[in-house]
Amino acid sequence: QLQKDLEEVKELLTNATRKRVRDVLVAEKQKLELEIKNQPLPKPKDVAEEEKSSLGGYTVKINNYGWDQSDKFVKIYISLNGVQKLPAENVQVNFTERSFDLLVKNLNGKNYTMTFNNLLKPISVEGSSRKIKTDMILVMCKKKREEKWDCLTQVEKESKEKEKAAYDTADPSEGLMNILKKMYAEGDDEMKRTINKAWVESREKQYKGDIPMDI
């Protein structure tokens, strides 16, 4: 809008002959030029936001997957019905040395995402890829070193180590007690009743054993 005003003022200036009119127009021209110069530049849209806004539909987070490994690759299998019908560019995977994220666009009106951060060991970004199969995506993470992975992420490894430490105690009965406590906490009512019964019977046996019986 300001630019149009400036062009009109310039046009009037070329036709103006009287000094007073020219002075007013020159002053207005300078004012408009200053306003245009001080206008804030339009901010570029964040690429990720732009990507999201172009997706349409709603996004579903994928939590179910399977995985295995060879000497050179860690392979993640993600089941998605009909994924093979999509254009190849609708299935995108971005790799970094310790992560990858998957985006599947517009599959039956929905978008699907999956992110793995803190992979257990470094992968080769250039050597990693994805394959689209019938009702499945296979993500191939190329190992930087040919070694066995015990799990997929650092978080899984730490979780396993904590669990092992809880049961790996010097006193075997304490380790057993921890297992029983875990079973009780996670079990259903039937499991809890069974453990309670076993606990009571065990206590009764100990009690009878501790007190000498009169013959």
Side-chain angles (χ1 to χ4, degrees):
Q1 195 66 38
L2 287 172
Q3 192 63 43
K4 285 181 180 176
D5 290 347
L6 180 61
E7 284 166 14
E8 196 164 314
V9 168
K10 284 179 178 176
E11 199 175 316
L12 289 169
L13 251 175
T14 56
N15 297 323
T17 52
R18 298 183 65 78
K19 184 177 181 302
R20 190 170 173 184
V21 174
R22 283 183 65 81
D23 288 349
V24 170
L25 289 170
V26 167
E28 187 62 27
K29 174 175 168 283
Q30 288 171 347
K31 183 183 166 189
L32 284 166
E33 284 173 343
L34 189 63
E35 278 187 52
I36 290 168
K37 186 182 175 185
N38 291 334
Q39 263 192 321
L41 290 169
K43 289 181 182 177
K45 270 191 179 180
D46 182 81
V47 177
E49 286 301 316
E50 204 166 276
E51 178 82 0
K52 281 179 189 172
S53 65
S54 69
L55 289 176
Y58 65 93
T59 300
V60 179
K61 193 173 180 184
I62 303 168
N63 293 312
N64 296 325
Y65 63 91
W67 76 285
D68 68 7
Q69 60 185 311
S70 62
D71 290 340
K72 295 184 178 179
F73 287 93
V74 169
K75 305 167 191 176
I76 297 95
Y77 301 88
I78 301 122
S79 295
L80 278 176
N81 286 337
V83 70
Q84 73 278 7
K85 296 172 187 171
L86 288 176
E89 62 269 20
N90 280 32
V91 181
Q92 301 168 1
V93 183
N94 293 315
F95 297 95
T96 73
E97 194 176 68
R98 293 295 287 270
S99 74
F100 73 84
D101 61 84
L102 165 72
L103 171 64
V104 180
K105 293 195 280 188
N106 198 21
L107 176 59
N108 302 322
K110 297 175 190 172
N111 309 301
Y112 293 84
T113 63
M114 173 181 251
T115 301
F116 272 92
N117 292 317
N118 300 314
L119 290 170
L120 187 66
K121 297 175 189 294
I123 61 172
S124 161
V125 174
E126 299 78 19
S128 298
S129 61
R130 61 104 177 97
K131 291 179 181 176
I132 302 168
K133 298 176 175 288
T134 305
D135 298 333
M136 181 184 288
I137 300 166
L138 170 59
V139 178
M140 308 270 291
C141 298
K142 178 136 194 285
K143 297 175 179 178
K144 276 212 165 177
R145 291 174 61 187
E146 293 184 18
E147 55 187 327
K148 185 175 180 288
W149 288 26
D150 296 324
C151 45
L152 266 180
T153 65
Q154 193 64 35
V155 174
E156 282 178 57
K157 184 187 176 190
E158 287 166 10
S159 174
K160 280 184 179 179
E161 284 173 352
K162 279 180 189 171
E163 202 166 291
K164 184 175 181 292
Y167 303 138
D168 193 12
T169 57
D171 183 351
S173 64
E174 192 180 328
L176 179 64
M177 187 62 65
N178 284 331
I179 292 168
L180 283 171
K181 281 180 185 173
K182 188 170 189 291
M183 286 169 66
Y184 188 86
E186 295 175 359
D188 56 17
D189 290 343
E190 187 62 36
M191 174 68 78
K192 287 176 180 176
R193 275 196 292 273
T194 305
I195 291 172
N196 274 331
K197 188 181 174 191
W199 178 261
V200 169
E201 287 175 358
S202 167
R203 282 291 179 195
E204 282 176 355
K205 281 179 187 173
Q206 280 183 16
Y207 183 69
K208 285 174 184 173
D210 288 342
I211 299 171
M213 294 179 71
D214 293 324
I215 299 171

